Amino acid sequence: MESATEDFQKYINARDRKGKLLFSEAEEWFLEESSDSLFSFESICEVLKLQPHHLRKGLLRWKEAHRNPFVSA
């Protein structure tokens, strides 16, 4: 979870392929709701007794606040 959060925040406005990929993979991991994987976001939240819905909501708010409108997708 720590690595995904770091990639999500660090590469939000990445311009290079690697940075865009790392951001995209982190975002997909956070948003996946139907994975049965032991290492899925929801499974980790369950172990840590965190509410995935609230964390997702906060991450998406953070994304909107930090997205640079001058960087092309």
Side-chain angles (χ1 to χ4, degrees):
M1 184 170 313
E2 182 179 356
S3 177
T5 303
E6 288 173 2
D7 288 349
F8 186 83
Q9 292 179 329
K10 182 176 181 179
Y11 297 110
I12 187 168
N13 291 312
R15 299 181 111 174
D16 65 324
R17 179 186 285 198
K18 181 181 177 186
K20 287 180 179 183
L21 179 62
L22 289 169
F23 174 80
S24 177
E25 287 176 348
E27 183 175 41
E28 287 176 20
W29 184 75
F30 284 123
L31 297 178
E32 175 66 44
E33 293 186 19
S34 61
S35 177
D36 293 330
S37 169
L38 181 62
F39 298 106
S40 72
F41 177 68
E42 293 205 350
S43 292
I44 291 173
C45 285
E46 184 177 330
V47 169
L48 297 174
K49 301 196 183 319
L50 299 172
Q51 296 180 359
H53 172 74
H54 291 293
L55 290 174
R56 282 189 189 103
K57 193 173 178 180
L59 286 165
L60 293 175
R61 268 195 242 135
W62 184 92
K63 176 184 169 184
E64 290 304 312
H66 290 85
R67 182 64 89 171
N68 184 343
F70 300 108
V71 176
S72 61

